[in-house]
Amino acid sequence: MSSIFFTEDAYVMISAFYAISIPEFHMHTHTHGSCEIMYVTGGSCDVQCQGEDIHLRQNQFIFIDAQVPHKLSVLEGHPCAILNIEFQRCKEEGMIDLSLLQKNSEDFQKFCKQNSPFLVSQDLRSLGYALKDLITFLQKESTQKDYLASILFQRMLLELAYCVNENKQCTGMYYLRKACSYIEENLCETLKVPEIAAYTGINKSYLQLLFSRFLHCTIIDYVNQKRMERAVFYLTNSTSSITDIAFAIGYNSRQHFAHTFEKHYQMSPLKYRKLHSRTLVPDTGETQYVLEKEKMVKEIYLGREH
C-alpha cells in the first residue's frame, strides 16, 4: 500500500468513505496508510496536518497523502457537512486500474509530480459532484470492482488534479496580492513577517516562497522597497522634515531611515531632496481665480462678502 504519488503501483483500492453532517467532533492526531480527501459541502471545519492549521469552508477541500499525521475538528454550534473518501495505491490486479489515466492525462501527470504531504484548494470545477456520484454508487453497490466504479473514481481524480494544478497558481497570486496590499496599507507600522503571513492566511515559509518565486525578493526586501518608494515621493513632493518622513513610512528613527535610504540610492535623503525636489510654494495671495470656458475672466478676493 502506498502514496498516490508512487506511480509504480498501477492500481488503487478504496478503503473507506462517508458523506455526513458533523455537529461536533475532535479527532486525535493520527496516521493511516490511505490517501484521504475531505471536501466541505456546508459549514466549516479545522484540519491540522503536520502541525499546520487549515480552516476549510464550503466548497474547499484538502487532499492528505498516506502516512501524513492529521486531525479533524468541528466546533460545537458550527456543524460541518463533509464528503470523505480514503484510498491507496496497490499492486493488486482487479482493483481500479490507473495506468491509462496515468498515460493519457496531462493534468493527472502534473498532479502526480506534486509529491506534497497535503494539498488544499477551492473546488474550481466539479470535484464535489464527482465525489458525491462516486460515494452514492459505492453506497448502493458496495463494490469497487465494477467498471462504473473505476470510471467514477478516475473522474474524481481528474477533477482533483484539475483543481490542485489550477489553484496552485491562482491561489499563490491571490495570497501574494493580499500580502502586498497589507504591506502598502501598513507601511507606517512595524511590519513583521509572521503578522503579514497570519493576515494573509498562510504560513510564513509559503509566503516567502511566493515572494521569491514571483517578485524575486524576500518579504523584508519588498517592505523596504515600498518604504523607499514612498520616501522618494515625500522627499520630492512635500516639505515634510526628514524625521517626519521617517516616521510616516515606518522607521522609528531618522538615523535608521537615513542609513537604509543611503544603501538604496547611494546618497542621503537630504541630498536626494536637493537634487530631485519638485516642490512648489503656491501663493496667489488672497485671490481666487475663476475660469469659465477655459479662460480666466475675473478674480475674487477671498474673504469678500458674496
Side-chain angles (χ1 to χ4, degrees):
M1 307 303 178
S2 61
S3 160
I4 189 66
F5 304 118
F6 188 70
T7 55
E8 291 181 23
D9 289 344
Y11 298 91
V12 162
M13 180 177 70
I14 299 170
S15 52
F17 63 88
Y18 64 77
I20 191 171
S21 181
I22 306 173
E24 180 186 7
F25 187 70
H26 297 283
M27 177 190 294
H28 294 294
T29 301
H30 67 289
T31 62
H32 46 67
S34 299
C35 308
E36 184 172 1
I37 299 173
M38 280 189 273
Y39 184 107
V40 177
T41 60
S44 64
C45 66
D46 295 302
V47 180
Q48 188 180 86
C49 276
Q50 293 189 317
E52 183 172 340
D53 295 318
I54 301 108
H55 185 67
L56 295 178
R57 299 180 180 85
Q58 186 173 2
N59 297 327
Q60 292 181 323
F61 68 89
I62 184 168
F63 167 83
I64 305 170
D65 200 20
Q67 304 299 343
V68 174
H70 63 280
K71 68 177 181 179
L72 168 68
S73 298
V74 178
L75 298 179
E76 183 180 4
H78 299 275
C80 181
I82 297 176
L83 299 175
N84 179 283
I85 191 160
E86 297 178 18
F87 54 92
Q88 48 201 205
R89 289 265 197 176
C90 62
K91 299 181 184 296
E92 299 177 39
E93 294 187 18
M95 306 305 287
I96 298 171
D97 187 348
L98 297 186
S99 57
L100 288 177
L101 184 66
Q102 185 74 50
K103 180 181 178 180
N104 297 317
S105 171
E106 290 185 11
D107 264 347
F108 189 63
Q109 292 167 10
K110 191 183 298 183
F111 170 79
C112 288
K113 292 177 182 177
Q114 301 276 348
N115 200 20
S116 178
F118 65 91
L119 297 160
V120 181
S121 176
Q122 187 84 14
D123 187 355
L124 298 177
R125 197 163 63 182
S126 301
L127 177 60
Y129 291 108
L131 273 167
K132 184 177 180 182
D133 288 345
L134 175 60
I135 290 172
T136 299
F137 175 84
L138 292 171
Q139 190 174 12
K140 288 180 179 179
E141 302 297 329
S142 300
T143 178
Q144 55 190 293
K145 295 185 178 181
D146 188 285
Y147 184 60
L148 181 55
S150 176
I151 291 174
L152 291 172
F153 183 84
Q154 291 184 70
R155 173 198 174 199
M156 183 270 296
L157 282 185
L158 285 172
E159 292 295 338
L160 173 69
Y162 175 82
C163 291
V164 169
N165 295 336
E166 292 296 315
N167 196 65
K168 190 170 184 181
Q169 179 80 4
C170 296
T171 301
M173 291 305 297
Y174 166 77
Y175 288 133
L176 185 63
R177 286 194 295 268
K178 189 173 180 181
C180 290
S181 296
Y182 178 81
I183 288 168
E184 297 227 25
E185 291 170 6
N186 294 276
L187 277 180
C188 61
E189 307 294 335
T190 301
L191 287 166
K192 297 180 179 179
V193 173
E195 293 172 359
I196 299 170
Y199 173 82
T200 307
I202 55 177
N203 68 64
K204 62 182 181 181
S205 298
Y206 181 46
L207 183 60
Q208 182 59 71
L209 179 64
L210 293 176
F211 272 83
S212 299
R213 180 181 298 164
F214 295 108
L215 300 179
H216 311 293
C217 66
T218 68
I219 299 171
I220 295 303
D221 287 341
Y222 182 83
V223 170
N224 286 331
Q225 175 188 328
K226 289 301 166 184
R227 282 177 170 161
M228 291 301 99
E229 290 174 3
R230 191 164 297 184
V232 164
F233 177 82
Y234 287 148
L235 288 169
T236 56
N237 294 281
S238 79
T239 57
S240 299
S241 69
I242 304 299
T243 301
D244 287 344
I245 292 174
F247 283 108
I249 61 173
Y251 290 94
N252 55 15
S253 73
R254 173 179 172 142
Q255 291 76 14
H256 185 198
F257 164 60
H259 175 72
T260 306
F261 189 92
E262 194 157 346
K263 282 177 63 178
H264 274 75
Y265 297 103
Q266 289 74 53
M267 66 181 73
S268 69
L270 188 58
K271 186 174 182 180
Y272 190 96
R273 167 173 271 172
K274 289 179 179 178
L275 286 173
H276 301 283
S277 177
R278 297 190 299 272
T279 56
L280 297 173
V281 181
D283 185 6
T284 61
E286 295 182 344
T287 304
Q288 175 185 4
Y289 294 88
V290 179
L291 301 178
E292 292 182 3
K293 296 182 180 179
E294 299 183 358
K295 182 179 179 182
M296 186 168 62
V297 295
K298 60 180 177 178
E299 60 183 26
I300 302 173
Y301 290 95
L302 298 180
R304 190 183 70 182
E305 297 292 335
H306 293 281

